[in-house]
Amino acid sequence: MNIAVVGTGYVGLVSGTCFAEMGVNVTCVDVNEEKIKSLLDGQIPIYEPGLDEMVLRNHREGRLNFTTDLKTCLDNVDIVFSAVGTPPDEDGSADLTYVLEVARTVGRNINKYVLLVTKSTVPVGTAQKVKKAIHEELEKRGVDIEFDVASNPEFLKEGAAIQDFMRPDRVVVGIESEKAKELMSRLYRPVMLNNFRVIFTDIPSAEMIKYAANSMLATRISFMNDIANLCELVGADVNMVRKGIGADTRIGSKFLYPGCGYGGSCFPKDVKALVKTAENRGYEMRVLKAVEEVNENQKHIVFNKLCKHYNGELHGKVIAIWGLAFKPETDDMREATALITINQLIKAGCKVQVFDPVAMDECKRRVGEGVTYAKDMYDAVLNADALLLLTEWKQFRLPSWGVLKRTMNSPVIIDGRNIYDPVEMMQKGVTYLCIGR
């Protein structure tokens, strides 16, 4: 089978590469000539464990190719996946500019049946807009060419995307015709052979499933952050509370970890978009509005704890930060708590020293030279008055406490992810502040 994947961002590149790994002939398309040139030269534009090796191998073996021109491959493909960006507008709604441009390009250039599958996260009703855009272009050409549209939302976790694609919890496919269902069944047959679920739905339901799933996970996080903040006020330990409620099979233990707020490319954007979708139809998503408000407040909690510890006197303090990405195993800093914290520290007159295993270049691109970029985690804490842990990378879990105490001005740690044991910290003579304990 031959397919095209439009967009070589996180979703497009991972999806295209994994399809190639399953034996599909894939052409990845992007209008960014520099990005395509880099991919052809074997340079991977994103960090995802195992992806670079898989891209290089499948490109070398001829199953994975890259181009800037979608129209040149339309005659040779059965399916076109649209995996372009849907950035939020100022009002929180999803910007469909790139999605609709892909549809128009298809309409202008197809000469035979093609199934256009939207993989980007888009609001309910987008498929109808995509179909209309294709029809309009076909009418301009004066031709009547059969095509179908479908929805195939992605559920990839950054840092574990390849495993999520190759061994998914489920694959959701929204279709309107038996022909589209047959094509998508053929494409996902390798997954189905392993008894993984492919769930076929109508297209609006598939579009809604993605938003509803991410919004539920975001809700669990904000709920636990609210509970954690209350635990501090009443003297409870949120870690014990989390275990107690997670043992209830109706609740489960996943996404019940309190911290300093969620970020990334999905949860913040998707919660806003779902709230806006409801507003456009005269309905208020009151729970999700609260989820968003709790999360925005939670991103300030580490700075607020630091400020309280030093009675608001932060000017001139040297503050170290471990972890810049919004989560481990990625260099993605979109909506990361670190961005807010760094800005607050700089405004307070602090000298900020940062380290992250993979997100240093991304931080330089976003923050510039307003902070000091350390060469390793211990260089970051040199002469520091406090250490803020914002991302729970594995290498931060068992640091040398002796080195920290010798190199820091004062052993103060504010743990935004609750990865250390308060009793052990007290025994080691470390001033330790965490969340909900």
Side-chain angles (χ1 to χ4, degrees), residues 53-166:
E53 178 187 349
M54 193 177 287
V55 169
L56 293 172
R57 182 175 65 254
N58 282 281
H59 180 54
R60 184 174 63 248
E61 295 175 1
R63 290 187 301 274
L64 182 62
N65 293 291
F66 304 99
T67 182
T68 58
D69 192 358
L70 173 59
K71 64 183 179 183
T72 59
C73 58
L74 283 174
D75 288 342
N76 301 313
V77 299
D78 306 296
I79 303 173
V80 175
F81 281 92
S82 177
V84 294
T86 54
D89 279 337
E90 291 183 6
D91 64 357
S93 61
D95 183 350
L96 298 178
T97 300
Y98 304 117
V99 171
L100 295 178
E101 183 54 36
V102 172
R104 294 188 187 99
T105 301
V106 169
R108 292 185 198 114
N109 296 284
I110 56 171
N111 298 303
K112 67 174 186 64
Y113 174 89
V114 166
L115 171 61
L116 177 56
V117 182
T118 301
K119 204 153 189 64
S120 308
T121 302
V122 295
V124 177
T126 298
Q128 294 307 310
K129 295 179 180 179
V130 167
K131 185 189 292 187
K132 181 182 177 183
I134 297 174
H135 272 305
E136 288 174 350
E137 295 300 329
L138 291 175
E139 288 175 3
K140 289 177 185 177
R141 294 169 58 193
V143 296
D144 183 15
I145 300 171
E146 185 187 5
F147 70 91
D148 274 315
V149 297
S151 174
N152 179 209
E154 55 84 20
F155 299 98
L156 307 179
K157 296 188 295 292
E158 293 190 39
I162 292 173
Q163 179 179 338
D164 284 347
F165 193 99
M166 305 303 278

Side-chain angles (χ1 to χ4, degrees), residues 89-312:
D89 279 337
E90 291 183 6
D91 64 357
S93 61
D95 183 350
L96 298 178
T97 300
Y98 304 117
V99 171
L100 295 178
E101 183 54 36
V102 172
R104 294 188 187 99
T105 301
V106 169
R108 292 185 198 114
N109 296 284
I110 56 171
N111 298 303
K112 67 174 186 64
Y113 174 89
V114 166
L115 171 61
L116 177 56
V117 182
T118 301
K119 204 153 189 64
S120 308
T121 302
V122 295
V124 177
T126 298
Q128 294 307 310
K129 295 179 180 179
V130 167
K131 185 189 292 187
K132 181 182 177 183
I134 297 174
H135 272 305
E136 288 174 350
E137 295 300 329
L138 291 175
E139 288 175 3
K140 289 177 185 177
R141 294 169 58 193
V143 296
D144 183 15
I145 300 171
E146 185 187 5
F147 70 91
D148 274 315
V149 297
S151 174
N152 179 209
E154 55 84 20
F155 299 98
L156 307 179
K157 296 188 295 292
E158 293 190 39
I162 292 173
Q163 179 179 338
D164 284 347
F165 193 99
M166 305 303 278
R167 300 179 63 85
D169 292 327
R170 78 290 198 202
V171 175
V172 174
V173 182
I175 44 90
E176 289 183 328
S177 74
E178 283 301 314
K179 189 170 185 177
K181 183 177 182 180
E182 190 275 331
L183 268 176
M184 294 300 284
S185 296
R186 278 174 53 203
L187 180 64
Y188 277 112
R189 191 159 293 137
V191 174
M192 298 168 76
L193 289 173
N194 292 324
N195 296 318
F196 293 114
R197 293 181 296 169
V198 177
I199 303 171
F200 286 99
T201 71
D202 58 84
I203 292 178
S205 296
E207 292 172 333
M208 178 60 83
I209 286 169
K210 170 65 175 180
Y211 278 110
N214 278 353
S215 295
M216 172 57 78
L217 296 176
T219 299
R220 287 171 69 95
I221 294 171
S222 282
F223 172 77
M224 282 311 299
N225 282 334
D226 241 2
I227 292 295
N229 296 337
L230 181 58
C231 282
E232 287 189 24
L233 296 175
V234 301
D237 185 335
V238 72
N239 217 28
M240 296 180 182
V241 174
R242 175 184 62 78
K243 291 175 182 177
I245 66 174
D248 187 326
T249 56
R250 296 168 300 174
I251 298 173
S253 61
K254 293 184 178 179
F255 282 82
L256 291 184
Y257 291 85
C260 51
Y262 61 75
S265 62
C266 293
F267 289 4
K269 174 174 69 69
D270 293 354
V271 168
K272 286 182 174 68
L274 194 53
V275 167
K276 189 62 182 178
T277 296
E279 286 180 359
N280 290 340
R281 288 160 176 78
Y283 186 77
E284 183 182 12
M285 303 289 283
R286 289 172 291 175
V287 171
L288 287 186
K289 282 186 174 181
V291 167
E292 187 178 17
E293 182 181 353
V294 168
N295 189 60
E296 289 307 307
N297 289 338
Q298 202 70 11
K299 290 183 178 182
H300 298 264
I301 195 167
V302 170
F303 176 81
N304 291 342
K305 286 178 179 288
L306 177 71
C307 201
K308 182 178 179 181
H309 177 74
Y310 282 112
N311 298 314

Side-chain angles (χ1 to χ4, degrees), residues 13-14 16-18 20-21 39 41-64 66 162:
L13 187 57
V14 171
T17 303
C18 287
E21 185 76 3
L39 285 164
D41 290 338
Q43 299 174 18
I44 312 305
I46 61 174
Y47 176 81
E48 176 64 32
L51 181 62
D52 50 355
E53 178 187 349
M54 193 177 287
V55 169
L56 293 172
R57 182 175 65 254
N58 282 281
H59 180 54
R60 184 174 63 248
E61 295 175 1
R63 290 187 301 274
L64 182 62
F66 304 99
I162 292 173

